[in-house]
Amino acid sequence: MKTSVSLAERARTAELLAPCGSQAALHAAIRAGANAVYLGLDKLNMRVGAVRSFSLADLPDVHRICQEAGVKLYLTLNTIVFENERRQMRAMLDAAAPHIDAVIASDWAVFEACRRRGIAAHASTQLSCANSDAAKFLLSQGIRRIVLARECSLHEVSQIEQAIRPLGGEIEVFVHGAQCVAESGRCFLSHFAYGASANRGVCQQPCRRPFTIIREDDNEGSPRPRAEFAVGAHTILSARDLCSLPFLDRILKAGASSLKIEGRARPPEYVTTVVGAYRKALDAIRDGIWCKTLADELVEQCARVYHRRFGLGLFHGRPGSDQFTDNDENLATRQKRNVGVVEHDYPRAGFVQIRVQDNAFKIGDTLSIQGPTTGEVSLSVDSIRHDDLVLSEAVRGDWYTIPRPFRVRPGDRVYLIRPVPGRHKQDVC
């Protein structure tokens, strides 16, 4: 018999899964309200070419941090695995097993190795699971969670979830971030163009570049000019970034139990901003106060950090031809400028001392302090002091103390966050 679950309960129990490409991003995700984080090591993960991945030696400390915060830790071991890499893959799993809650994988050799070691395994979106028969087969192999193909509509998510719920299966979906033109990521364009395979974590993103079309039978001996056509920059293969905030309640109604944010290559302020927005959304849905006004506010919040033009993905139907962007530039409504470095932090007084090495800042400005242990701390400057002097501006070449909401550490970097002139939030469409 089908059990009805209220929307408020779904929001309360839904897992908010955050990307983690650095120690700073890890702390930022936890402080912003993530229930779980996912990261890769320096081998066999889909972002190995894009971020300074964690090492096996980092895992015990990362695991401790997550355990203390009540946050789950998932390891992405999600590339294809070649014959000569099987021993390395197994050794990674042996070393990682005590420190992780699950492995996200796409290669069947990894699933089998996880099964033998008693490690929970989640099926990556790269398996392109898009129907309930495939989902049931994955469950029959001991896989308990499935990251559905990104081509699935909300209706299909609901149908698959209803089919596997009695079997104890869970559904995870991406809710925010960059989208591959191949959707579920099985793309060979970078491999063909540069010998750098997306399926090995080293995609060069040729899809994000402008293209020129050349008529093949035109050559140097032809009496007519060579025909070349420059295709509009970034409009042919480059997909919009996904933002599901306007319909997050519908994703929950469809039965997704884990909401995944893309962005392991993004900086800590991206993680803080986006994870924080989705945490506010989930809490509002749980409390019955979710509305369009709040959704719009949270979209604006996400628009402050790096993003391409926002789109709805394929949750509302295929083929999604309107989900290609006409502009591949960063459309963030806020820009980050270097200020300097933290020299001292005073925990009892609640102040931080900053050495201004570059951009000056003044009362009313927003600063972002980032570090491997601090994560990301954002604050609005309401007081500036130098010794006994109370000032309205901090200028380059000296130190200043200002109040801060959370503890920071010497050596943390300090950035000035300001609006980008003339740039406004883009609608999600």
Side-chain angles (χ1 to χ4, degrees), residues 19 176-178 261-263 266-275 305-306:
H176 194 94
I261 295 170
E262 186 275 341
R266 300 287 174 236
E269 72 271 13
Y270 178 95
V271 176
T272 294
T273 302
V274 176
V275 173
V305 293
Y306 182 96

Side-chain angles (χ1 to χ4, degrees), residues 323-378:
Q323 292 304 302
F324 289 93
T325 180
D326 58 1
N327 192 320
D328 195 46
E329 68 175 305
N330 176 14
L331 297 178
T333 61
R334 300 288 188 272
Q335 59 187 358
K336 181 173 73 172
R337 294 289 181 264
N338 184 63
V339 168
V341 64
V342 171
E343 288 192 333
H344 300 287
D345 183 77
Y346 303 97
R348 287 190 175 183
F351 279 81
V352 57
Q353 180 176 307
I354 296 170
R355 172 68 60 174
V356 180
Q357 300 168 326
D358 198 347
N359 287 277
F361 64 89
K362 62 183 185 302
I363 298 293
D365 279 341
T366 298
L367 298 183
S368 173
I369 303 176
Q370 303 178 13
T373 304
T374 296
E376 195 267 348
V377 173
S378 179

Side-chain angles (χ1 to χ4, degrees), residues 245-256:
L245 282 165
F247 55 96
L248 190 65
D249 54 338
R250 295 181 60 189
I251 292 178
L252 291 172
K253 287 178 182 177

Side-chain angles (χ1 to χ4, degrees), residues 291-419:
C291 62
K292 184 180 185 304
T293 299
L294 179 55
D296 289 344
E297 290 175 1
L298 294 178
V299 171
E300 191 279 330
Q301 177 176 319
C302 290
R304 295 172 190 169
V305 293
Y306 182 96
H307 70 285
R308 301 177 185 89
R309 192 173 299 279
F310 282 143
L312 303 175
L314 298 180
F315 281 111
H316 302 282
R318 294 182 290 272
S321 59
D322 60 344
Q323 292 304 302
F324 289 93
T325 180
D326 58 1
N327 192 320
D328 195 46
E329 68 175 305
N330 176 14
L331 297 178
T333 61
R334 300 288 188 272
Q335 59 187 358
K336 181 173 73 172
R337 294 289 181 264
N338 184 63
V339 168
V341 64
V342 171
E343 288 192 333
H344 300 287
D345 183 77
Y346 303 97
R348 287 190 175 183
F351 279 81
V352 57
Q353 180 176 307
I354 296 170
R355 172 68 60 174
V356 180
Q357 300 168 326
D358 198 347
N359 287 277
F361 64 89
K362 62 183 185 302
I363 298 293
D365 279 341
T366 298
L367 298 183
S368 173
I369 303 176
Q370 303 178 13
T373 304
T374 296
E376 195 267 348
V377 173
S378 179
L379 61 91
S380 179
V381 179
D382 56 17
S383 171
I384 301 174
R385 290 178 175 270
H386 179 83
D387 286 331
D388 294 329
L389 298 176
V390 179
L391 306 170
S392 61
E393 185 177 13
V395 298
R396 182 177 179 179
D398 214 334
W399 61 264
Y400 302 87
T401 57
I402 62 173
R404 82 309 183 257
F406 301 102
R407 184 182 177 188
V408 297
R409 279 83 182 168
D412 287 352
R413 300 304 305 179
V414 184
Y415 301 95
L416 175 64
I417 309 297
R418 280 185 171 165

Side-chain angles (χ1 to χ4, degrees), residues 19-22 38 47 49-52 262-268 270-271:
C20 185
S22 66
Y38 64 103
R47 290 293 182 271
V51 298
R52 190 210 69 78
E262 186 275 341
R264 281 191 287 140
R266 300 287 174 236
Y270 178 95
V271 176

Side-chain angles (χ1 to χ4, degrees), residues 129-133 135-136 146 148 152 155-166 171 254:
C129 178
N131 62 73
S132 57
D133 287 342
K136 289 177 181 177
I146 300 165
L148 287 182
C152 288
H155 179 62
E156 289 163 338
V157 172
S158 178
Q159 288 182 310
I160 296 170
E161 193 276 336
Q162 289 178 32
I164 69 170
R165 189 196 313 166
I171 294 297

Side-chain angles (χ1 to χ4, degrees), residues 235-291:
T235 61
I236 300 302
L237 297 176
S238 187
R240 297 187 183 202
D241 281 6
L242 171 64
C243 178
S244 67
L245 282 165
F247 55 96
L248 190 65
D249 54 338
R250 295 181 60 189
I251 292 178
L252 291 172
K253 287 178 182 177
S257 59
S258 180
L259 310 178
K260 188 172 193 173
I261 295 170
E262 186 275 341
R264 281 191 287 140
R266 300 287 174 236
E269 72 271 13
Y270 178 95
V271 176
T272 294
T273 302
V274 176
V275 173
Y278 279 83
R279 171 49 58 200
K280 291 176 185 175
L282 283 172
D283 291 349
I285 296 169
R286 177 200 63 198
D287 296 338
I289 58 173
W290 183 241
C291 62

